[in-house]
Amino acid sequence: MEHIGKYMKSVCLTAICVVLVITSFGCTPKKAQDGEVNGEVKVEGSITLSCPQDVYSSDSNRASIRQWVSNFKSMYPSVKVKEEYSDRSNWSARLSAKDMGDVFWLDDSQVYDMAVTNKSLMPLDSYAEYFGKIKEYGLDVNDVYSGIYNLGETEGQLYMVATNCGSHIMTYNKGMLTQAGLPMPENDWTWAQFKDYMSKLTKRGPDGTLTQVGAALRVNWGPIYVPFYHGFGGEWCDSVNKKVNLTSDPNVLKGVQELVDVIEAKYIYPYDTAALGAITLAGDYATAFANIDDSNVISTAAFWHLYSFSGLADRAAQYDNLGIEWDIISFPLFDAPATPCGTYGYGVFRYTSNPAAAAALVLSIYTQEGQKSINQGAGGAIPLLSSLKNESYWHLADYPDKNYDAFVANDDRFVTALVRTQVPSSVAKIIEDGMVTLFQNLYSGSVSVEDSLSKIETQANEKWSTLK
């Protein structure tokens, strides 16, 4: 009996030790890489801010960075922020070597791979919740345009804080609309109304060539065709089951067919497509667009796609040089939310040694003071907070009366404008290359939309299934 007692005592001691070991592991605070806030956050110490020298190539556009950092240091004077401007071609190696700045620049096309595939980004949700409770910090994530906020998310977590709103809009020739007896469009105009404008603004000469086209669009680029994936109720990407649905979802197919229909009606000139894959006009298209090319769309296209606010000043100068009266209009509204938008911003390196200060710096962009500091001094940018929607500090001073509301009028309908923000880059490349081919074939003669999309879907899903 004595040896049984000793055995039981040994078992009990072992069990207690196991419990203590399990408990100690269970109570271990999560690592910085997890982005979890444990108790009080102390914002102090030093961090490095890595910025791409090609994006911030001049002293004037680096002013926005200095203003942002200066504003942040006024809140946390004990934090030292080192600004680093370097060549992005070396960043992949630095990320792999875990030798990156605590905070670094990226765009929305990189969020998925940086967060999920490479695990280089720290999730920011826990810190956003923490700083949102500090009144003096001034963070209210509900004040951020939901579409912009979503562009920084992947798999339900926030990884990137945006610095700008790259909402895609259109500029238009007011004289052409007046001559056609059409009213100037409003920011809530619909796809059906857009098609009606196109039919009335596309004009042919006696020989069948177009003297005027409804719109000039970069048709083989995501910000044009991705909205059609969404616009009629389609869900082209199932990130949970890792599946692409370009024909499996009939509403995605319907959306792409809507775009193809107006192209086949010769309402859209394929502008600035060469960078993605040159489109050769053949047959009826060659005849129709014989006198329209990239050099003269400003005087031959009624509506002209503008990629972002940053290009507005140059576009304005082009119109002015030809004496064309112009204005701005939002992307037409579809049945479902599908206003294309892109962005870039900053994230926190997953292996930072100072996650609190790094997160505090990044999230300060979404405060009113952060917005005004980073978006005002370097030529202006669109404010990302609803509370700043009516501010005019970002407008072009030489054009005070333009319809600037077009950039943010439908912010609740913003969707990511690029395929590669939703799927791994290797899967995205299959979709992007396939769509380029679809439009090349279309303008070369004809194409089966369903067959093309089915082929893309099959290849993309086969690739995705091989990825871990």
Side-chain angles (χ1 to χ4, degrees), residues 406-467:
F407 287 99
V408 292
N410 303 308
D411 57 89
D412 59 332
R413 288 176 165 258
F414 284 163
V415 296
T416 180
L418 297 174
V419 168
R420 61 184 53 240
T421 63
Q422 303 296 300
V423 297
S425 55
S426 57
V427 177
K429 188 175 189 310
I430 292 171
I431 299 172
E432 292 164 351
D433 289 349
M435 293 300 293
V436 166
T437 300
L438 187 157
F439 291 109
Q440 286 173 332
N441 292 339
L442 175 59
Y443 278 99
S444 295
S446 63
V447 68
S448 168
V449 175
E450 185 168 5
D451 289 349
S452 297
L453 293 181
S454 179
K455 181 179 178 181
I456 297 169
E457 178 181 308
T458 298
Q459 293 178 345
N461 285 332
E462 287 175 352
K463 181 65 177 180
W464 207 349
S465 69
T466 67
L467 303 178

Short mmCIF file of all heavy atoms in Angstrom, two decimals, residues 406-467:
data_model
loop_
_atom_site.label_atom_id
_atom_site.label_comp_id
_atom_site.label_asym_id
_atom_site.label_seq_id
_atom_site.Cartn_x
_atom_site.Cartn_y
_atom_site.Cartn_z
N ALA A 406 -17.67 64.12 -57.01
CA ALA A 406 -17.67 62.89 -57.79
C ALA A 406 -16.69 61.86 -57.23
O ALA A 406 -16.92 60.66 -57.33
CB ALA A 406 -17.32 63.20 -59.24
N PHE A 407 -15.60 62.33 -56.63
CA PHE A 407 -14.59 61.42 -56.12
C PHE A 407 -15.06 60.63 -54.89
O PHE A 407 -14.56 59.54 -54.63
CB PHE A 407 -13.31 62.19 -55.76
CG PHE A 407 -12.53 62.66 -56.95
CD1 PHE A 407 -12.64 63.96 -57.41
CD2 PHE A 407 -11.68 61.79 -57.62
CE1 PHE A 407 -11.92 64.40 -58.51
CE2 PHE A 407 -10.94 62.21 -58.72
CZ PHE A 407 -11.07 63.52 -59.18
N VAL A 408 -15.97 61.21 -54.14
CA VAL A 408 -16.38 60.55 -52.89
C VAL A 408 -17.89 60.40 -52.76
O VAL A 408 -18.38 59.92 -51.73
CB VAL A 408 -15.85 61.35 -51.67
CG1 VAL A 408 -14.34 61.27 -51.59
CG2 VAL A 408 -16.31 62.81 -51.71
N ALA A 409 -18.63 60.76 -53.81
CA ALA A 409 -20.10 60.75 -53.70
C ALA A 409 -20.65 59.37 -53.38
O ALA A 409 -21.64 59.25 -52.66
CB ALA A 409 -20.71 61.27 -55.01
N ASN A 410 -20.05 58.33 -53.93
CA ASN A 410 -20.57 56.97 -53.76
C ASN A 410 -19.60 56.10 -52.99
O ASN A 410 -19.39 54.93 -53.33
CB ASN A 410 -20.88 56.38 -55.15
CG ASN A 410 -21.85 57.25 -55.93
OD1 ASN A 410 -22.91 57.61 -55.44
ND2 ASN A 410 -21.48 57.62 -57.14
N ASP A 411 -19.01 56.67 -51.93
CA ASP A 411 -17.99 55.95 -51.18
C ASP A 411 -18.51 54.67 -50.55
O ASP A 411 -17.75 53.73 -50.32
CB ASP A 411 -17.40 56.86 -50.10
CG ASP A 411 -18.46 57.39 -49.14
OD1 ASP A 411 -18.73 56.72 -48.13
OD2 ASP A 411 -19.01 58.47 -49.40
N ASP A 412 -19.82 54.60 -50.26
CA ASP A 412 -20.37 53.39 -49.68
C ASP A 412 -20.46 52.26 -50.71
O ASP A 412 -20.77 51.12 -50.36
CB ASP A 412 -21.76 53.66 -49.09
CG ASP A 412 -22.76 54.19 -50.12
OD1 ASP A 412 -22.32 54.83 -51.10
OD2 ASP A 412 -23.96 53.97 -49.93
N ARG A 413 -20.17 52.58 -51.97
CA ARG A 413 -20.21 51.57 -53.02
C ARG A 413 -18.82 51.22 -53.55
O ARG A 413 -18.68 50.51 -54.54
CB ARG A 413 -21.09 52.06 -54.19
CG ARG A 413 -22.58 52.06 -53.85
CD ARG A 413 -23.41 52.64 -54.97
NE ARG A 413 -24.83 52.30 -54.77
CZ ARG A 413 -25.47 51.34 -55.42
NH1 ARG A 413 -24.82 50.60 -56.31
NH2 ARG A 413 -26.74 51.09 -55.19
N PHE A 414 -17.77 51.75 -52.91
CA PHE A 414 -16.42 51.45 -53.35
C PHE A 414 -16.13 49.96 -53.26
O PHE A 414 -16.46 49.30 -52.26
CB PHE A 414 -15.39 52.17 -52.48
CG PHE A 414 -15.25 53.65 -52.77
CD1 PHE A 414 -14.64 54.48 -51.85
CD2 PHE A 414 -15.72 54.21 -53.94
CE1 PHE A 414 -14.49 55.84 -52.09
CE2 PHE A 414 -15.59 55.56 -54.20
CZ PHE A 414 -14.97 56.38 -53.27
N VAL A 415 -15.50 49.42 -54.29
CA VAL A 415 -14.97 48.06 -54.24
C VAL A 415 -13.54 48.10 -54.74
O VAL A 415 -13.16 49.00 -55.50
CB VAL A 415 -15.79 47.08 -55.11
CG1 VAL A 415 -17.21 46.94 -54.59
CG2 VAL A 415 -15.79 47.49 -56.58
N THR A 416 -12.76 47.15 -54.29
CA THR A 416 -11.38 47.10 -54.74
C THR A 416 -11.33 46.94 -56.25
O THR A 416 -12.07 46.13 -56.83
CB THR A 416 -10.63 45.96 -54.04
OG1 THR A 416 -9.28 45.94 -54.50
CG2 THR A 416 -11.28 44.62 -54.30
N ALA A 417 -10.48 47.70 -56.90
CA ALA A 417 -10.50 47.77 -58.35
C ALA A 417 -9.59 46.76 -59.03
O ALA A 417 -9.59 46.67 -60.25
CB ALA A 417 -10.09 49.18 -58.79
N LEU A 418 -8.82 46.01 -58.27
CA LEU A 418 -7.86 45.08 -58.86
C LEU A 418 -8.12 43.66 -58.41
O LEU A 418 -8.46 43.40 -57.25
CB LEU A 418 -6.43 45.48 -58.47
CG LEU A 418 -5.95 46.85 -58.97
CD1 LEU A 418 -4.59 47.16 -58.38
CD2 LEU A 418 -5.90 46.89 -60.49
N VAL A 419 -7.94 42.73 -59.33
CA VAL A 419 -8.12 41.31 -59.02
C VAL A 419 -7.16 40.86 -57.94
O VAL A 419 -7.52 40.12 -57.02
CB VAL A 419 -7.89 40.47 -60.31
CG1 VAL A 419 -7.79 38.99 -59.99
CG2 VAL A 419 -9.03 40.71 -61.30
N ARG A 420 -5.92 41.33 -57.99
CA ARG A 420 -4.89 40.79 -57.11
C ARG A 420 -5.01 41.23 -55.66
O ARG A 420 -4.21 40.83 -54.82
CB ARG A 420 -3.50 41.06 -57.65
CG ARG A 420 -3.11 42.50 -57.81
CD ARG A 420 -1.74 42.61 -58.47
NE ARG A 420 -1.64 41.86 -59.70
CZ ARG A 420 -0.76 40.86 -59.88
NH1 ARG A 420 0.07 40.53 -58.93
NH2 ARG A 420 -0.73 40.23 -61.04
N THR A 421 -5.99 42.05 -55.36
CA THR A 421 -6.24 42.36 -53.95
C THR A 421 -7.06 41.28 -53.27
O THR A 421 -7.17 41.26 -52.04
CB THR A 421 -6.98 43.70 -53.81
OG1 THR A 421 -8.26 43.60 -54.43
CG2 THR A 421 -6.20 44.83 -54.43
N GLN A 422 -7.65 40.38 -54.05
CA GLN A 422 -8.57 39.39 -53.51
C GLN A 422 -8.03 37.96 -53.56
O GLN A 422 -8.54 37.08 -52.86
CB GLN A 422 -9.89 39.43 -54.28
CG GLN A 422 -10.57 40.79 -54.26
CD GLN A 422 -10.99 41.21 -52.87
OE1 GLN A 422 -11.78 40.54 -52.24
NE2 GLN A 422 -10.42 42.31 -52.38
N VAL A 423 -7.04 37.72 -54.40
CA VAL A 423 -6.53 36.36 -54.59
C VAL A 423 -5.01 36.40 -54.62
O VAL A 423 -4.40 37.46 -54.82
CB VAL A 423 -7.06 35.74 -55.90
CG1 VAL A 423 -8.58 35.62 -55.86
CG2 VAL A 423 -6.62 36.56 -57.11
N PRO A 424 -4.35 35.25 -54.43
CA PRO A 424 -2.89 35.21 -54.53
C PRO A 424 -2.41 35.71 -55.88
O PRO A 424 -3.11 35.58 -56.89
CB PRO A 424 -2.57 33.71 -54.34
CG PRO A 424 -3.73 33.16 -53.59
CD PRO A 424 -4.93 33.93 -54.07
N SER A 425 -1.23 36.29 -55.91
CA SER A 425 -0.73 36.93 -57.14
C SER A 425 -0.63 35.95 -58.31
O SER A 425 -0.88 36.33 -59.46
CB SER A 425 0.63 37.58 -56.88
OG SER A 425 1.55 36.64 -56.37
N SER A 426 -0.29 34.70 -58.04
CA SER A 426 -0.18 33.72 -59.13
C SER A 426 -1.55 33.42 -59.73
O SER A 426 -1.67 33.17 -60.94
CB SER A 426 0.47 32.43 -58.63
OG SER A 426 -0.25 31.88 -57.54
N VAL A 427 -2.59 33.44 -58.91
CA VAL A 427 -3.96 33.25 -59.41
C VAL A 427 -4.42 34.51 -60.14
O VAL A 427 -5.05 34.44 -61.20
CB VAL A 427 -4.91 32.92 -58.25
CG1 VAL A 427 -6.36 32.79 -58.75
CG2 VAL A 427 -4.49 31.63 -57.55
N ALA A 428 -4.08 35.66 -59.57
CA ALA A 428 -4.47 36.93 -60.19
C ALA A 428 -3.88 37.06 -61.59
O ALA A 428 -4.54 37.56 -62.50
CB ALA A 428 -4.00 38.08 -59.31
N LYS A 429 -2.64 36.63 -61.76
CA LYS A 429 -2.00 36.76 -63.07
C LYS A 429 -2.76 35.97 -64.13
O LYS A 429 -2.89 36.44 -65.28
CB LYS A 429 -0.55 36.29 -63.00
CG LYS A 429 0.24 36.58 -64.28
CD LYS A 429 1.69 36.22 -64.15
CE LYS A 429 2.49 36.72 -65.35
NZ LYS A 429 1.93 36.38 -66.65
N ILE A 430 -3.27 34.81 -63.78
CA ILE A 430 -4.05 34.02 -64.73
C ILE A 430 -5.30 34.77 -65.15
O ILE A 430 -5.66 34.83 -66.33
CB ILE A 430 -4.42 32.66 -64.11
CG1 ILE A 430 -3.16 31.80 -63.92
CG2 ILE A 430 -5.46 31.93 -64.95
CD1 ILE A 430 -3.39 30.54 -63.12
N ILE A 431 -5.97 35.39 -64.17
CA ILE A 431 -7.20 36.14 -64.47
C ILE A 431 -6.89 37.37 -65.30
O ILE A 431 -7.54 37.65 -66.31
CB ILE A 431 -7.91 36.53 -63.17
CG1 ILE A 431 -8.30 35.28 -62.37
CG2 ILE A 431 -9.15 37.38 -63.46
CD1 ILE A 431 -8.83 35.57 -60.98
N GLU A 432 -5.86 38.11 -64.88
CA GLU A 432 -5.51 39.35 -65.58
C GLU A 432 -5.07 39.07 -67.01
O GLU A 432 -5.51 39.75 -67.95
CB GLU A 432 -4.41 40.07 -64.81
CG GLU A 432 -4.86 40.63 -63.48
CD GLU A 432 -3.72 40.99 -62.55
OE1 GLU A 432 -2.55 40.66 -62.85
OE2 GLU A 432 -4.00 41.59 -61.49
N ASP A 433 -4.21 38.07 -67.19
CA ASP A 433 -3.76 37.73 -68.54
C ASP A 433 -4.94 37.24 -69.40
O ASP A 433 -5.03 37.56 -70.59
CB ASP A 433 -2.69 36.64 -68.49
CG ASP A 433 -1.37 37.14 -67.92
OD1 ASP A 433 -1.21 38.37 -67.77
OD2 ASP A 433 -0.49 36.30 -67.64
N GLY A 434 -5.83 36.47 -68.79
CA GLY A 434 -6.99 35.97 -69.52
C GLY A 434 -7.92 37.09 -69.96
O GLY A 434 -8.47 37.05 -71.08
N MET A 435 -8.10 38.09 -69.10
CA MET A 435 -8.97 39.21 -69.46
C MET A 435 -8.34 40.07 -70.56
O MET A 435 -9.04 40.57 -71.45
CB MET A 435 -9.28 40.06 -68.23
CG MET A 435 -10.14 39.36 -67.18
SD MET A 435 -11.78 38.84 -67.78
CE MET A 435 -12.57 40.41 -68.09
N VAL A 436 -7.04 40.24 -70.51
CA VAL A 436 -6.35 40.96 -71.58
C VAL A 436 -6.59 40.24 -72.91
O VAL A 436 -6.91 40.87 -73.93
CB VAL A 436 -4.84 41.07 -71.29
CG1 VAL A 436 -4.08 41.51 -72.54
CG2 VAL A 436 -4.59 42.07 -70.16
N THR A 437 -6.45 38.92 -72.91
CA THR A 437 -6.68 38.14 -74.13
C THR A 437 -8.13 38.25 -74.60
O THR A 437 -8.39 38.35 -75.80
CB THR A 437 -6.34 36.65 -73.88
OG1 THR A 437 -4.97 36.54 -73.50
CG2 THR A 437 -6.60 35.81 -75.12
N LEU A 438 -9.06 38.25 -73.66
CA LEU A 438 -10.48 38.37 -74.01
C LEU A 438 -10.72 39.65 -74.81
O LEU A 438 -11.38 39.63 -75.87
CB LEU A 438 -11.34 38.36 -72.74
CG LEU A 438 -12.87 38.33 -72.90
CD1 LEU A 438 -13.51 37.76 -71.63
CD2 LEU A 438 -13.47 39.71 -73.16
N PHE A 439 -10.18 40.76 -74.34
CA PHE A 439 -10.43 42.03 -75.03
C PHE A 439 -9.61 42.14 -76.32
O PHE A 439 -10.06 42.77 -77.29
CB PHE A 439 -10.15 43.20 -74.10
CG PHE A 439 -11.16 43.32 -72.98
CD1 PHE A 439 -10.80 43.03 -71.67
CD2 PHE A 439 -12.46 43.68 -73.24
CE1 PHE A 439 -11.74 43.12 -70.64
CE2 PHE A 439 -13.40 43.77 -72.23
CZ PHE A 439 -13.04 43.48 -70.93
N GLN A 440 -8.42 41.54 -76.33
CA GLN A 440 -7.67 41.50 -77.58
C GLN A 440 -8.47 40.78 -78.66
O GLN A 440 -8.58 41.27 -79.80
CB GLN A 440 -6.33 40.79 -77.37
CG GLN A 440 -5.30 41.60 -76.61
CD GLN A 440 -4.06 40.80 -76.28
OE1 GLN A 440 -4.11 39.58 -76.13
NE2 GLN A 440 -2.93 41.49 -76.14
N ASN A 441 -9.02 39.64 -78.31
CA ASN A 441 -9.81 38.87 -79.27
C ASN A 441 -11.08 39.61 -79.69
O ASN A 441 -11.50 39.55 -80.84
CB ASN A 441 -10.17 37.50 -78.68
CG ASN A 441 -8.96 36.61 -78.50
OD1 ASN A 441 -7.93 36.81 -79.15
ND2 ASN A 441 -9.08 35.61 -77.64
N LEU A 442 -11.68 40.30 -78.72
CA LEU A 442 -12.92 41.02 -79.01
C LEU A 442 -12.69 42.10 -80.05
O LEU A 442 -13.42 42.19 -81.04
CB LEU A 442 -13.47 41.63 -77.72
CG LEU A 442 -14.70 42.53 -77.85
CD1 LEU A 442 -15.87 41.77 -78.46
CD2 LEU A 442 -15.10 43.08 -76.47
N TYR A 443 -11.67 42.94 -79.85
CA TYR A 443 -11.40 44.03 -80.79
C TYR A 443 -10.75 43.54 -82.08
O TYR A 443 -10.66 44.29 -83.05
CB TYR A 443 -10.54 45.10 -80.12
CG TYR A 443 -11.33 46.05 -79.25
CD1 TYR A 443 -11.38 45.89 -77.87
CD2 TYR A 443 -12.01 47.12 -79.81
CE1 TYR A 443 -12.10 46.76 -77.07
CE2 TYR A 443 -12.73 48.01 -79.02
CZ TYR A 443 -12.77 47.82 -77.65
OH TYR A 443 -13.50 48.70 -76.88
N SER A 444 -10.30 42.30 -82.09
CA SER A 444 -9.75 41.72 -83.32
C SER A 444 -10.83 41.13 -84.19
O SER A 444 -10.59 40.77 -85.34
CB SER A 444 -8.71 40.64 -82.99
OG SER A 444 -7.60 41.20 -82.35
N GLY A 445 -12.01 40.97 -83.65
CA GLY A 445 -13.10 40.42 -84.44
C GLY A 445 -14.28 40.05 -83.58
O GLY A 445 -15.26 40.77 -83.50
N SER A 446 -14.19 38.91 -82.90
CA SER A 446 -15.28 38.49 -82.04
C SER A 446 -14.74 37.53 -80.98
O SER A 446 -13.62 37.02 -81.10
CB SER A 446 -16.38 37.79 -82.85
OG SER A 446 -15.87 36.61 -83.45
N VAL A 447 -15.55 37.28 -79.95
CA VAL A 447 -15.11 36.42 -78.87
C VAL A 447 -16.33 35.84 -78.18
O VAL A 447 -17.39 36.48 -78.12
CB VAL A 447 -14.25 37.21 -77.86
CG1 VAL A 447 -15.08 38.23 -77.11
CG2 VAL A 447 -13.54 36.29 -76.88
N SER A 448 -16.21 34.62 -77.66
CA SER A 448 -17.24 34.04 -76.81
C SER A 448 -16.89 34.40 -75.38
O SER A 448 -15.90 33.90 -74.82
CB SER A 448 -17.30 32.52 -76.96
OG SER A 448 -18.11 31.96 -75.93
N VAL A 449 -17.68 35.29 -74.80
CA VAL A 449 -17.42 35.73 -73.44
C VAL A 449 -17.47 34.55 -72.47
O VAL A 449 -16.59 34.38 -71.62
CB VAL A 449 -18.42 36.82 -73.00
CG1 VAL A 449 -18.22 37.19 -71.54
CG2 VAL A 449 -18.28 38.04 -73.89
N GLU A 450 -18.48 33.72 -72.61
CA GLU A 450 -18.64 32.60 -71.68
C GLU A 450 -17.48 31.61 -71.79
O GLU A 450 -16.94 31.16 -70.77
CB GLU A 450 -19.96 31.89 -71.92
CG GLU A 450 -20.24 30.79 -70.91
CD GLU A 450 -21.66 30.27 -70.96
OE1 GLU A 450 -22.41 30.69 -71.86
OE2 GLU A 450 -22.02 29.44 -70.11
N ASP A 451 -17.08 31.28 -73.00
CA ASP A 451 -15.97 30.34 -73.17
C ASP A 451 -14.67 30.91 -72.61
O ASP A 451 -13.89 30.20 -71.97
CB ASP A 451 -15.78 30.00 -74.65
CG ASP A 451 -16.90 29.12 -75.20
OD1 ASP A 451 -17.70 28.62 -74.39
OD2 ASP A 451 -16.98 28.98 -76.43
N SER A 452 -14.45 32.20 -72.84
CA SER A 452 -13.22 32.84 -72.35
C SER A 452 -13.18 32.86 -70.83
O SER A 452 -12.16 32.52 -70.22
CB SER A 452 -13.12 34.27 -72.89
OG SER A 452 -13.04 34.28 -74.29
N LEU A 453 -14.29 33.25 -70.22
CA LEU A 453 -14.34 33.30 -68.76
C LEU A 453 -14.27 31.91 -68.15
O LEU A 453 -13.67 31.72 -67.09
CB LEU A 453 -15.61 34.02 -68.31
CG LEU A 453 -15.70 35.51 -68.63
CD1 LEU A 453 -17.01 36.08 -68.08
CD2 LEU A 453 -14.52 36.29 -68.06
N SER A 454 -14.88 30.94 -68.81
CA SER A 454 -14.83 29.57 -68.31
C SER A 454 -13.40 29.05 -68.30
O SER A 454 -12.97 28.38 -67.34
CB SER A 454 -15.71 28.67 -69.18
OG SER A 454 -15.66 27.33 -68.72
N LYS A 455 -12.66 29.35 -69.34
CA LYS A 455 -11.26 28.93 -69.41
C LYS A 455 -10.43 29.59 -68.31
O LYS A 455 -9.63 28.94 -67.63
CB LYS A 455 -10.68 29.28 -70.78
CG LYS A 455 -9.23 28.87 -70.97
CD LYS A 455 -8.75 29.25 -72.37
CE LYS A 455 -7.27 28.88 -72.56
NZ LYS A 455 -6.79 29.26 -73.93
N ILE A 456 -10.65 30.89 -68.11
CA ILE A 456 -9.93 31.61 -67.06
C ILE A 456 -10.27 31.01 -65.69
O ILE A 456 -9.38 30.77 -64.86
CB ILE A 456 -10.29 33.11 -67.08
CG1 ILE A 456 -9.86 33.76 -68.39
CG2 ILE A 456 -9.65 33.83 -65.90
CD1 ILE A 456 -10.42 35.15 -68.59
N GLU A 457 -11.54 30.77 -65.45
CA GLU A 457 -11.99 30.23 -64.16
C GLU A 457 -11.34 28.88 -63.88
O GLU A 457 -10.84 28.63 -62.77
CB GLU A 457 -13.51 30.09 -64.16
CG GLU A 457 -14.07 29.50 -62.87
CD GLU A 457 -15.58 29.35 -62.91
OE1 GLU A 457 -16.26 30.36 -63.21
OE2 GLU A 457 -16.07 28.24 -62.64
N THR A 458 -11.35 28.01 -64.86
CA THR A 458 -10.77 26.67 -64.69
C THR A 458 -9.29 26.74 -64.36
O THR A 458 -8.82 26.10 -63.41
CB THR A 458 -10.98 25.83 -65.97
OG1 THR A 458 -12.37 25.67 -66.21
CG2 THR A 458 -10.34 24.46 -65.82
N GLN A 459 -8.55 27.53 -65.12
CA GLN A 459 -7.11 27.63 -64.89
C GLN A 459 -6.80 28.28 -63.54
O GLN A 459 -5.88 27.85 -62.83
CB GLN A 459 -6.47 28.42 -66.02
CG GLN A 459 -6.50 27.71 -67.37
CD GLN A 459 -5.91 28.55 -68.49
OE1 GLN A 459 -5.70 29.77 -68.35
NE2 GLN A 459 -5.63 27.91 -69.61
N ALA A 460 -7.57 29.31 -63.19
CA ALA A 460 -7.34 29.99 -61.91
C ALA A 460 -7.61 29.07 -60.74
O ALA A 460 -6.85 29.04 -59.76
CB ALA A 460 -8.22 31.24 -61.84
N ASN A 461 -8.69 28.31 -60.81
CA ASN A 461 -9.03 27.42 -59.71
C ASN A 461 -8.06 26.25 -59.60
O ASN A 461 -7.75 25.78 -58.50
CB ASN A 461 -10.46 26.90 -59.88
CG ASN A 461 -11.49 27.96 -59.53
OD1 ASN A 461 -11.23 28.85 -58.72
ND2 ASN A 461 -12.66 27.89 -60.14
N GLU A 462 -7.57 25.78 -60.74
CA GLU A 462 -6.56 24.72 -60.70
C GLU A 462 -5.30 25.23 -60.01
O GLU A 462 -4.69 24.51 -59.19
CB GLU A 462 -6.24 24.26 -62.12
CG GLU A 462 -7.33 23.40 -62.75
CD GLU A 462 -7.04 23.05 -64.19
OE1 GLU A 462 -6.06 23.60 -64.75
OE2 GLU A 462 -7.79 22.24 -64.77
N LYS A 463 -4.92 26.44 -60.30
CA LYS A 463 -3.73 27.02 -59.67
C LYS A 463 -3.94 27.24 -58.17
O LYS A 463 -3.08 26.89 -57.35
CB LYS A 463 -3.38 28.36 -60.35
CG LYS A 463 -2.14 29.03 -59.77
CD LYS A 463 -0.90 28.20 -60.02
CE LYS A 463 0.36 28.87 -59.53
NZ LYS A 463 1.57 28.05 -59.77
N TRP A 464 -5.10 27.79 -57.82
CA TRP A 464 -5.37 28.10 -56.41
C TRP A 464 -5.39 26.83 -55.57
O TRP A 464 -4.96 26.81 -54.41
CB TRP A 464 -6.70 28.85 -56.28
CG TRP A 464 -6.79 29.73 -55.08
CD1 TRP A 464 -5.93 29.78 -54.01
CD2 TRP A 464 -7.77 30.75 -54.82
NE1 TRP A 464 -6.31 30.73 -53.10
CE2 TRP A 464 -7.44 31.34 -53.57
CE3 TRP A 464 -8.90 31.18 -55.49
CZ2 TRP A 464 -8.21 32.35 -52.99
CZ3 TRP A 464 -9.65 32.21 -54.94
CH2 TRP A 464 -9.32 32.78 -53.71
N SER A 465 -5.87 25.74 -56.15
CA SER A 465 -5.96 24.48 -55.41
C SER A 465 -4.59 23.91 -55.06
O SER A 465 -4.47 23.07 -54.18
CB SER A 465 -6.76 23.45 -56.22
OG SER A 465 -6.05 23.04 -57.37
N THR A 466 -3.55 24.35 -55.78
CA THR A 466 -2.20 23.84 -55.52
C THR A 466 -1.47 24.65 -54.46
O THR A 466 -0.39 24.26 -54.02
CB THR A 466 -1.36 23.84 -56.80
OG1 THR A 466 -1.13 25.19 -57.22
CG2 THR A 466 -2.06 23.07 -57.91
N LEU A 467 -2.03 25.80 -54.10
CA LEU A 467 -1.36 26.68 -53.14
C LEU A 467 -1.76 26.34 -51.71
O LEU A 467 -2.91 26.00 -51.44
CB LEU A 467 -1.72 28.14 -53.43
CG LEU A 467 -1.39 28.63 -54.85
CD1 LEU A 467 -1.83 30.08 -55.02
CD2 LEU A 467 0.10 28.49 -55.17
#
